Amino acid sequence: MGDLIMQPSNLKVSPKYSESKEMYLKALVELDVFVSPTVSRLANRLGVTQVSANEMVRRLTDQGLMIHTPYKGVNLTKKGRQLGNNVLRRQRLWECFLYDYLKVEWSRLYELTCNLEHNTPPEVTESLAIYLNNPAQCPHGQPIPTVDGECKSLKGIPLNQLGIGESASILSVTESPLEVVEHFSQQGLLPGKHITLVNTTPLQGPLTLQVGQAHIALGLQMAEQILVKRD
Amino acid sequence: MGDLIMQPSNLKVSPKYSESKEMYLKALVELDVFVSPTVSRLANRLGVTQVSANEMVRRLTDQGLMIHTPYKGVNLTKKGRQLGNNVLRRQRLWECFLYDYLKVEWSRLYELTCNLEHNTPPEVTESLAIYLNNPAQCPHGQPIPTVDGECKSLKGIPLNQLGIGESASILSVTESPLEVVEHFSQQGLLPGKHITLVNTTPLQGPLTLQVGQAHIALGLQMAEQILVKRD
DNA sequence: CCGGATAATAAGGTCAACCATAACAATTTT
DNA sequence: AAAATTGTTATGGTTGACCTTATTATCCGG
């Protein structure tokens, strides 16, 4: 009898080759803002042991996607960076959709789109981009890479490099764990907002900012995650 | 230095436990329309060997999701059916979105959403449902299960059970491999369309239908995939 | 009721991604 | 320069989800 309905083409159960691979590539793109991350930073970011990360890095190196210089760090090759940027493009487009259309909470965006990105075929990605009107940034202010895997980085400075009394507007915040991002959100530290650096304290101490009318204290590490542009 | 950006909570690389599991559950829900499918039908549908399917069925049986009566077929337990329906809900909602908003080709919907469904967290699913205005059917005419895993099946008959001269309208077509579904689309055999059975031929031969002004021949197996409701 | 098709089980294997533990190498700190 | 810290490699597991190649069990049609 009607075995027509068998094997709907891509019903492939298994080949999830590379879901992990994509995570590694993405993590690398995200991490190497200023310096190439070491394997342990990577491992840490991905929530795996260093040994596992090392293994994976070796495999990806074999595939010509990255280069590991021991004790120095891991660098993406051109091909690797492109792939990583593609992943990021997918995720950030989804973030736009979830935020602007589905009204998902800002601080949960990263978390919720973090696995949607895999399994998003190119056709869908590009239709989505058109639907969203080709946004340039995700709700965190991060640039969305182009179809061909290019990504021009933001020209801004970390908030902690502002001088006292200087005003600036927030360009982006780094995708971070929920608690951190939730804190940003509660303090109104969102892309586009204007802030003024009121004060700093020595010994890695907190900064004082003015956001709107309010004065808030912000830890140094948090401040490093915020990219601003002087007014 | 700023290791704040480490470990964005769910950045879990590995635990893709269950992507396969979901496929099995979904396939079962899709297949057991009239009779419980045997393991080999399942295997066939999923594109794996019977041995693999057997193994997996055993595992899922152990988890209380299905019951396998040798030589009779596999049945979902209540829990299993609910889970399967959840998967189907996610996929069908995505199908609606891709079709209505992203303007994706009708015949590619199943294929393109087929892996999107995993990794769609409940929050996103439900926000999407609201955004889409809680549709009752996917673009194939299949019912969309409710949040709690219920799914009332369509009350219709397979097209081949019509009598000669009878008219009916198409309720749904079964999600099938690309070639099949493409053929449906080319012949205008889409949900909502009106058809009249003009003729039948013996020995599993094709049926002749009138669709709009045109007369078309349709293989019996294809006809079995189309559910209609007499006018 | 027998023989061939179909279905199920058995046995042993592969591969990707993980893990822990331990040793070794480089760098930094004291 | 020794000690402490951090980074890398080696070794040997585990697990899920596949695979192939038998062998055995059941069903169904002549």
Side-chain angles (χ1 to χ4, degrees):
Chain A
M1 49 197 62
D3 267 19
L4 238 197
I5 52 173
M6 294 293 135
Q7 316 213 65
S9 22
N10 82 325
L11 224 161
K12 290 310 212 123
V13 170
S14 68
K16 57 203 36 161
Y17 298 120
S18 82
E19 208 139 315
S20 268
K21 185 167 140 181
E22 289 193 346
M23 281 309 226
Y24 277 84
L25 292 173
K26 190 178 76 169
L28 262 176
V29 176
E30 289 175 328
L31 288 181
D32 90 350
V33 207
F34 297 121
V35 290
S36 346
T38 62
V39 171
S40 29
R41 269 178 83 84
L42 237 194
N44 204 19
R45 170 82 178 182
L46 292 167
V48 300
T49 64
Q50 294 182 207
V51 180
S52 301
N54 239 286
E55 204 182 303
M56 194 67 184
V57 166
R58 189 169 23 74
R59 232 178 288 158
L60 295 178
T61 297
D62 291 347
Q63 292 174 40
L65 299 175
M66 47 184 68
I67 291 163
H68 177 205
T69 328
Y71 298 98
K72 288 303 165 49
V74 184
N75 289 283
L76 287 165
T77 60
K78 188 169 184 187
K79 195 172 144 205
R81 163 157 277 108
Q82 273 180 347
L83 288 180
N85 276 336
N86 285 340
V87 181
L88 227 42
R89 173 175 174 79
R90 294 198 292 270
Q91 173 164 19
R92 289 182 177 161
L93 285 171
W94 279 126
E95 283 181 344
C96 290
F97 176 63
L98 295 216
Y99 188 61
D100 293 339
Y101 295 80
L102 301 193
K103 309 300 179 194
V104 163
E105 224 186 303
W106 185 79
S107 37
R108 301 202 57 202
L109 289 174
Y110 190 81
E111 173 196 348
L112 291 175
T113 53
C114 190
N115 288 308
L116 249 193
E117 71 211 294
H118 319 288
N119 303 322
T120 301
E123 297 93 320
V124 175
T125 309
E126 296 321 312
S127 305
L128 182 62
I130 292 169
Y131 181 65
L132 297 171
N133 215 16
N134 288 300
Q137 280 126 32
C138 77
H140 301 98
Q142 303 285 355
I144 295 179
T146 63
V147 206
D148 31 73
E150 305 292 327
C151 189
K152 50 181 180 308
S153 50
L154 295 176
K155 288 193 0 192
I157 56 167
L159 172 48
N160 56 299
Q161 282 176 27
L162 278 184
I164 292 180
E166 284 189 304
S167 287
S169 54
I170 297 181
L171 289 180
S172 71
V173 307
T174 305
E175 278 93 345
S176 309
L178 194 57
E179 318 89 73
V180 179
V181 131
E182 233 162 18
H183 193 247
F184 285 149
S185 156
Q186 280 158 17
Q187 307 280 250
L189 294 168
L190 303 180
K193 291 296 178 80
H194 278 263
I195 55 101
T196 306
L197 182 60
V198 175
N199 210 350
T200 63
T201 54
L203 280 177
Q204 321 272 17
L207 319 178
T208 306
L209 299 181
Q210 179 170 355
V211 188
Q213 299 312 313
H215 278 214
I216 64 169
L218 191 72
L220 186 60
Q221 289 192 13
M222 302 272 276
E224 282 169 352
Q225 310 307 316
I226 300 179
L227 229 58
V228 300
K229 186 192 165 102
R230 285 195 187 87
D231 282 332
Chain B
M1 46 198 62
D3 266 19
L4 238 199
I5 52 172
M6 295 293 138
Q7 315 215 68
S9 23
N10 81 325
L11 224 161
K12 289 310 208 123
V13 170
S14 69
K16 56 203 34 162
Y17 298 121
S18 84
E19 207 138 317
S20 269
K21 185 166 140 181
E22 289 194 346
M23 280 308 225
Y24 277 84
L25 292 174
K26 189 178 75 169
L28 263 175
V29 176
E30 289 175 327
L31 288 180
D32 93 348
V33 205
F34 298 120
V35 290
S36 344
T38 61
V39 171
S40 28
R41 270 179 81 84
L42 235 194
N44 205 17
R45 170 82 177 182
L46 293 167
V48 300
T49 64
Q50 294 180 210
V51 181
S52 302
N54 239 285
E55 204 182 303
M56 194 66 185
V57 166
R58 187 172 23 74
R59 232 178 290 157
L60 295 178
T61 297
D62 290 348
Q63 293 175 38
L65 299 174
M66 45 184 72
I67 292 163
H68 178 206
T69 329
Y71 299 96
K72 288 303 164 53
V74 185
N75 289 284
L76 286 165
T77 61
K78 188 167 182 185
K79 196 172 143 205
R81 162 156 279 109
Q82 274 181 346
L83 287 180
N85 277 335
N86 285 340
V87 181
L88 227 42
R89 173 175 174 80
R90 293 198 291 267
Q91 174 165 19
R92 290 182 176 161
L93 286 172
W94 279 126
E95 284 182 344
C96 290
F97 175 64
L98 294 216
Y99 189 60
D100 294 339
Y101 294 81
L102 301 193
K103 309 302 179 194
V104 164
E105 225 185 301
W106 184 79
S107 35
R108 302 200 59 201
L109 288 173
Y110 189 80
E111 173 197 349
L112 292 175
T113 52
C114 191
N115 288 307
L116 247 195
E117 71 212 294
H118 319 291
N119 302 323
T120 302
E123 296 93 320
V124 175
T125 309
E126 297 321 312
S127 305
L128 181 62
I130 292 169
Y131 181 64
L132 298 171
N133 214 16
N134 287 300
Q137 280 125 32
C138 77
H140 301 99
Q142 303 285 354
I144 295 179
T146 62
V147 206
D148 31 73
E150 305 291 326
C151 189
K152 50 182 179 309
S153 49
L154 294 176
K155 288 192 2 191
I157 56 167
L159 172 47
N160 56 301
Q161 280 176 27
L162 278 184
I164 292 179
E166 284 189 303
S167 287
S169 53
I170 297 180
L171 289 180
S172 71
V173 307
T174 305
E175 278 95 343
S176 308
L178 193 56
E179 320 87 76
V180 178
V181 130
E182 233 162 17
H183 193 246
F184 285 149
S185 156
Q186 279 156 19
Q187 307 279 250
L189 294 169
L190 303 180
K193 290 296 177 80
H194 278 264
I195 55 102
T196 306
L197 181 60
V198 176
N199 210 350
T200 62
T201 55
L203 281 177
Q204 320 269 19
L207 319 178
T208 307
L209 299 181
Q210 181 172 353
V211 189
Q213 300 310 312
H215 279 214
I216 63 167
L218 192 71
L220 186 61
Q221 289 193 11
M222 302 270 275
E224 283 169 351
Q225 310 307 318
I226 300 180
L227 230 58
V228 301
K229 187 192 166 102
R230 285 195 188 85
D231 283 335

